[in-house]
Amino acid sequence: MIMIFGIPGPLLFGQLLLGLINGAFYAMLSLGLAVIFGMLNIINFAHGALFMMGAFVSWILLNYLGIGYFPALILSPLLVGIFGIILEKTIISRLYKLDHLYGLLLTFGLSLVIEGLFRNAYGSSGMPYRIPEMLSGATNLGFMYMPNYRGWVVAAALVVCISTWLIIEKTSLGATLRAATENAPMVQAFGVNVPRLITLTYAGGVALAAFAGVLAAPIYSVNPNMGSNFINTVFAVVVIGGMGSIMGSILTGFGLGVVEGLTKVFYPQASATVVFVVMVIVLLVRPRGLFGKAA
Amino acid sequence: MLEVNGLNAWYGESHILHGVDFEVREGEVVTLLGRNGAGKTTTMKSIMGLVPRREGSVKFRGNEMVGLMPNQIARAGIAICPEERGIFGSLSVTENLMLPPIVAPGGLTVEEIYTLFPNLRERAKTAHGTKLSGGEQQMLAIGRILRTGAKMLLLDEPTEGLAPVIVQQIGRTIREIKNRGFTVLLVEQNFRFAATVADRHYVMEHGKIVDMIPNHLLESSMDKLHEYLGV
Ligand SMILES: Nc1ncnc2c1ncn2[C@@H]1O[C@H](COP(=O)(O)OP(=O)(O)OP(=O)(O)O)[C@@H](O)[C@H]1O
Ligand SMILES: [Mg+2]
């Protein structure tokens, strides 16, 4: 057996892969948070609950309507995105003139309500979601066996993250979004319906969370707490990466997942806290975060 | 083309415009002159719907603009080049130029804009609009609204703080777009410059229009003007 730094190779690579998987979820979730924060100036505390909704909707589609994983990958973000549009239009949009803090409190409250509703309806023990046939099994990579579904999650997350980055940095829609983030009244005075753009941005960020939720369903059991379990770490990722930077969220998300995975190998006791240790260090050295821009 | 009647505007508690009345006819270049703080910028912003509260009437081609959102006013065919220029640092020069949506046919092509402002062609690849010099940012701020097809342009102190050659270039541009049938409302502190481009001048004081001077009478009204502007 190959040994690396005195650690069996398969163990090391296995944890690295797990780290990449977690990192994929961190990246997708913090990306959505960054996009929403840029446009709405609101820290969307409901993000974890919407991620959980994404997983639940795919479970509901499968168990009540017989709609499988791949259609759910599109349908669930769409449905949760529409839910996001309703939330933004009816509740969140009332807070834009107030301090940041109100948005944070409101979305935190929303997440408690959403999670409570699902807990009432489905309990908190969690329900399994089977890996789709096509993605079950494992592939021998030579140095390790990789479960196909896990490889798929990393690849899908990468594609989604990079597409989002491309849309924001390279398209005219993205240019309009960036401009509105900088100076919304000016963009509106050019004829852009900024309130609608804000609603669609929220829906887009929410749809990203739901997409991550569908990807997560077969890995973690589908349960009302799955969002809260993730979201603390995701907020740390956002703080480390620097709020508002798109590429920063992606790199930090994947990077911290890997750091967490490696910690599990070399010093397992610290694996649950390492992200927060990194956060403290980054905040001390660079308060704006690794990729944050000056205010 | 643009008729402003009894326009009032507020920022929070402060009442800034107290019944502004004036009109701009199609194809005219009309200036708003006045001291610092007279309310010229506020008038521009009020026309565009960019103040928190306004009352009175702004008719554009016969349609009431008070009560519409800024994006609807822009779609009606009015475009603004704001005093602070409003160039976006997170957008490249080309992205800044292409940002305002086309609202009507008949705008200038990018090539025509580059002909008016050759500097912009050279700097097109610049990654951050705010990396341009002040003069170049002003050219970009004017150039990007010429593309949109809006025929009523609000230019707020386009020559402020710029070198004489650039001021001349902007003067040529204003005369050129006038020839192409654009209508311009121009805020200026520098009435010598204003005299080279405008048909008429309105004088503002304390949130009101206090006088109107046709351009051919500007020379003979110098004493009066000096008093208005305190120069
Ligand atoms: N955002 C604002 N909030 C409160 N008061 C404002 C605001 N903007 C302008 N004012 C006030 O409104 C008055 C008119 O300002 P405005 O900018 O319209 O003047 P101006 O004629 O454009 O002056 P300048 O020649 O200096 O550009 C001033 O007394 C100014 O202090
Ligand atoms: Mg002004």
Side-chain angles (χ1 to χ4, degrees):
Chain A
M1 185 182 288
I2 331 162
M3 300 288 279
I4 300 166
F5 300 125
I7 308 281
L11 174 64
L12 182 66
F13 291 124
Q15 286 301 339
L16 257 180
L17 180 64
L18 274 183
L20 268 182
I21 301 263
N22 281 334
F25 290 112
Y26 298 158
M28 284 184 287
L29 290 173
S30 62
L31 179 61
L33 281 174
V35 173
I36 290 173
F37 180 76
M39 266 306 259
L40 285 76
N41 251 322
I42 275 183
I43 300 173
N44 185 36
F45 252 81
H47 220 63
L50 295 160
F51 163 81
M52 175 272 289
M53 267 181 90
F56 257 100
V57 168
S58 65
W59 185 90
I60 289 167
L61 287 173
L62 182 65
N63 288 280
Y64 297 166
L65 302 171
I67 297 173
Y69 176 84
F70 289 104
L73 216 42
I74 305 209
L75 273 179
S76 172
L78 208 65
L79 293 171
V80 180
I82 291 169
F83 178 70
I85 290 180
I86 296 169
L87 276 188
E88 197 277 341
K89 277 210 170 280
T90 55
I91 311 179
I92 298 173
S93 60
R94 292 167 198 274
L95 300 181
Y96 294 147
K97 294 201 172 76
L98 305 176
D99 192 86
H100 281 10
L101 205 57
Y102 288 89
L104 190 151
L105 287 172
L106 174 83
T107 52
F108 181 60
L110 281 174
S111 76
L112 294 181
V113 172
I114 296 170
E115 286 177 4
L117 289 174
F118 277 91
R119 203 170 296 123
N120 267 350
Y122 295 97
S124 44
S125 53
M127 290 156 321
Y129 188 103
R130 274 174 50 122
I131 292 176
E133 204 67 50
M134 220 181 108
L135 297 170
S136 56
T139 306
N140 186 355
L141 296 180
F143 53 90
M144 67 178 285
Y145 277 94
M146 183 184 66
N148 290 340
Y149 188 75
R150 306 207 159 200
W152 153 255
V153 167
V154 174
L158 270 176
V159 167
V160 163
C161 286
I162 290 171
S163 311
T164 308
W165 179 81
L166 283 174
I167 289 171
I168 290 177
E169 294 298 330
K170 303 291 172 202
T171 67
S172 65
L173 171 67
T176 306
L177 275 172
R178 275 177 283 137
T181 300
E182 223 179 290
N183 183 351
M186 190 70 229
V187 173
Q188 188 161 5
F190 284 146
V192 175
N193 189 338
V194 170
R196 189 172 64 195
L197 192 64
I198 289 177
T199 306
L200 292 179
T201 303
Y202 189 73
V206 162
L208 267 174
F211 182 84
V214 183
L215 286 180
I219 298 185
Y220 313 96
S221 69
V222 177
N223 78 80
N225 305 321
M226 62 191 291
S228 334
N229 296 344
F230 254 113
I231 209 70
N232 286 338
T233 315
V234 170
F235 279 112
V237 169
V238 168
V239 171
I240 294 168
M243 205 76 194
S245 159
I246 302 301
M247 198 36 115
S249 315
I250 299 173
L251 295 178
T252 313
F254 277 101
L256 283 176
V258 169
V259 167
E260 237 182 16
L262 290 180
T263 312
K264 274 197 189 111
V265 180
F266 292 104
Y267 193 63
Q269 297 88 324
S271 64
T273 46
V274 63
V275 170
F276 298 94
V277 174
V278 173
M279 179 175 87
V280 170
I281 295 171
V282 167
L283 282 183
L284 287 175
V285 181
R286 260 185 83 93
R288 285 181 275 106
L290 293 178
F291 299 87
K293 297 173 203 108
Chain B
M1 182 97 160
L2 186 74
E3 295 163 61
V4 177
N5 278 302
L7 184 62
N8 281 265
W10 290 260
Y11 290 112
E13 293 292 301
S14 26
H15 190 171
I16 308 293
L17 300 186
H18 302 267
V20 172
D21 302 301
F22 66 93
E23 62 163 335
V24 186
R25 294 188 282 264
E26 184 149 14
E28 269 191 318
V29 174
V30 168
T31 66
L32 285 178
L33 304 173
R35 295 184 195 205
N36 287 336
K40 306 177 299 290
T41 296
T42 307
T43 304
M44 296 285 214
K45 286 189 172 175
S46 302
I47 293 170
M48 211 66 229
L50 289 170
V51 291
R53 178 172 164 221
R54 64 194 166 137
E55 278 173 15
S57 166
V58 175
K59 286 224 165 101
F60 177 61
R61 292 185 166 135
N63 300 317
E64 186 55 67
M65 297 289 120
V66 172
L68 298 187
M69 311 250 284
N71 50 309
Q72 296 169 313
I73 296 169
R75 296 277 168 183
I78 307 180
I80 187 166
C81 171
E83 191 169 17
E84 69 286 355
R85 296 174 187 143
I87 298 303
F88 297 93
S90 54
L91 273 62
S92 72
V93 168
T94 305
E95 283 173 333
N96 266 287
L97 187 60
M98 304 307 282
L99 178 72
I102 304 290
V103 298
L108 272 63
T109 63
V110 172
E111 204 43 49
E112 288 171 322
I113 293 167
Y114 284 158
T115 310
L116 283 174
F117 301 117
N119 294 47
L120 290 184
R121 190 202 307 272
E122 286 161 32
R123 303 300 303 271
K125 295 252 158 56
T126 309
H128 302 281
T130 43
K131 286 267 155 64
L132 297 183
S133 70
E136 289 167 337
Q137 287 192 34
Q138 190 65 63
M139 296 173 195
L140 183 53
I142 297 174
R144 70 180 169 186
I145 59 172
L146 297 178
R147 247 189 82 247
T148 63
K151 290 293 159 48
M152 172 86 233
L153 307 181
L154 313 179
L155 308 181
D156 197 345
E157 300 206 36
T159 64
E160 192 183 11
L162 299 182
V165 275
I166 300 175
V167 173
Q168 284 169 17
Q169 195 177 358
I170 288 173
R172 276 199 303 277
T173 304
I174 293 174
R175 286 187 293 271
E176 162 81 22
I177 59 180
K178 178 182 160 74
N179 287 338
R180 283 169 165 259
F182 284 80
T183 307
V184 178
L185 178 62
L186 176 71
V187 167
E188 263 301 334
Q189 298 266 5
N190 176 351
F191 62 81
R192 279 172 229 295
F193 172 77
T196 65
V197 294
D199 300 300
R200 293 185 299 128
H201 310 272
Y202 284 101
V203 182
M204 263 198 116
E205 256 179 14
H206 308 302
K208 276 200 185 83
I209 301 289
V210 293
D211 206 347
M212 193 279 282
I213 306 170
N215 198 44
H216 66 274
L217 296 182
L218 199 65
E219 277 305 315
S220 51
S221 314
M222 274 305 160
D223 292 345
K224 200 165 63 170
L225 253 184
H226 281 296
E227 198 165 308
Y228 283 135
L229 303 178
V231 285

